[in-house]
């Protein structure tokens, strides 16, 4: 008799380090891919953190050696433009909490930060990456555009030309190169990204919170307009034949055949 399958572990872990809150994406069986249940849980954590005066900085990381392998493509069963717009509205709530909330947010990246994982990292104010970390944005491989604010955050970090290369050609950026071009702020030894991220977060937590909060607002200028465009364009792409083909090809582990439909 076959033993019942263990339930999928999908959760957001919270841990305090003084005035720093450590938020861990914990779904290792799927390389911490962000399914809607994880995104909602992360939104709740961020909402509470921004309303808690005892928390002065936030660190975001992933469990078991991977930051985040992207969005959970198996959950992207979207059958209308309205459903696509609603998905993007919910997704953008998390982006706004990270980028426009008053608390500084530091990413601790080990392993892959791919697709939505790269977007989450870029929504943070500071990115610390292990030397062997890797970044890539493969949205186009499934017939979608980059989202979660990445079209806004990435050019701000690396410039328009480099952003085109990364997004259009699915370039994989190793951490040392990512630091050189401004995608990453600090490099840590393998396995030590969280330690260095905590060091940076503790520094920020000891600073006056007002100047950081107001500076974040200036840096977020234009984000709402970019997210509104994302919502419109991505919702339309969700209904295309190319997205259906890209999603099916990804799940079947084969090369997609895009027709422009």
């Amino acid at each position: 008799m076959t033993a019942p399958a263990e339930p999928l572990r999908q959760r957001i872990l919270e841990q305090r380090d003084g005035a720093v809150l450590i938020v861990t994406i914990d779904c290792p069986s799927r390389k911490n891919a962000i399914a809607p249940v994880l995104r909602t849980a992360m939104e709740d954590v961020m909402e509470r953190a921004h309303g808690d005066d005892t928390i002065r900085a936030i660190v975001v990381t992933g469990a078991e050696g991977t930051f985040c392998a992207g969005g959970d493509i198996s959950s992207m069963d979207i059958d209308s433009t309205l459903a696509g717009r609603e998905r993007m509205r919910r997704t953008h709530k998390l982006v706004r909490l990270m980028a426009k909330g008053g608390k500084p947010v530091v990413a601790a990246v080990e392993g892959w930060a791919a697709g939505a994982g790269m977007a989450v990292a870029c929504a943070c104010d500071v990115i610390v990456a292990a030397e062997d970390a890797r970044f890539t944005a493969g949205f186009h491989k499934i017939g979608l555009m980059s989202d979660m604010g990445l079209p806004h955050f990435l050019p701000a970090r690396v410039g328009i030309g480099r952003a085109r290369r990364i997004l259009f050609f699915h370039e994989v950026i190793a951490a040392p190169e990512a630091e050189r071009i401004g995608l990453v702020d600090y490099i840590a030894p393998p396995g030590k990204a969280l330690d260095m991220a905590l060091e940076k977060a503790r520094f920020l937590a000891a600073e006056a919170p007002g100047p950081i909060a107001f500076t974040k607002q200036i840096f977020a200028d234009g984000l709402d307009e970019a997210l509104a465009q994302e919502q419109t364009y991505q919702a339309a792409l969700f209904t295309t034949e190319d997205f259906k083909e890209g999603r099916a090809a990804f799940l079947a582990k084969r090369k997609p055949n895009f027709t422009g439909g």
Side-chain angles (χ1 to χ4, degrees), residues 170-216:
H170 323 303
E171 290 192 349
V172 175
I173 312 297
E177 174 69 2
E179 182 190 31
R180 188 187 72 79
I181 66 176
L183 176 58
V184 162
D185 300 301
Y186 300 98
I187 297 289
K192 299 295 183 182
L194 180 56
D195 292 343
M196 184 178 287
L198 276 171
E199 175 189 330
K200 302 302 179 185
R202 291 177 190 130
F203 177 91
L204 294 171
E207 296 289 286
I212 292 175
F214 292 149
T215 301
K216 285 189 59 153

Side-chain angles (χ1 to χ4, degrees), residues 59-72:
V59 171
V60 176
T61 193
E64 299 189 16
T66 298
F67 183 72
C68 173
D72 183 357

Side-chain angles (χ1 to χ4, degrees), residues 30 32 63 91 108 183 209 213 245 255:
R30 295 186 178 176
N32 302 324
T91 299
L183 176 58
E245 166 62 11
K255 185 177 177 61

Side-chain angles (χ1 to χ4, degrees), residues 38-134:
L38 282 173
R39 184 196 65 231
T40 299
M42 198 166 175
E43 288 170 5
D44 292 343
V45 170
M46 288 288 172
E47 191 83 72
R48 284 188 280 106
H50 284 304
D52 185 341
D53 290 339
T54 70
I55 295 172
R56 299 280 290 273
I58 302 165
V59 171
V60 176
T61 193
E64 299 189 16
T66 298
F67 183 72
C68 173
D72 183 357
I73 294 171
S74 66
S75 72
M76 297 181 185
D77 187 11
I78 301 162
D79 59 3
S80 70
T81 301
L82 286 177
R85 288 184 63 83
E86 176 60 15
R87 182 185 178 95
M88 296 309 300
R89 184 190 70 80
R90 292 176 180 273
T91 299
H92 288 161
K93 181 180 178 182
L94 174 60
V95 176
R96 287 187 172 94
L97 284 168
M98 295 179 68
K100 300 183 74 174
K103 310 292 172 71
V105 185
V106 182
V109 180
E110 298 277 355
W112 282 98
M118 183 174 175
V120 168
C122 287
C124 296
D125 302 295
V126 179
I127 302 176
V128 177
E131 289 175 0
D132 53 356
R134 298 290 185 272

Side-chain angles (χ1 to χ4, degrees), residues 10-12 25-27 33-43:
Q10 289 181 301
R11 58 187 180 178
I12 299 296
I25 305 167
D26 184 33
C27 184
I34 301 179
V37 64
L38 282 173
R39 184 196 65 231
T40 299
M42 198 166 175
E43 288 170 5

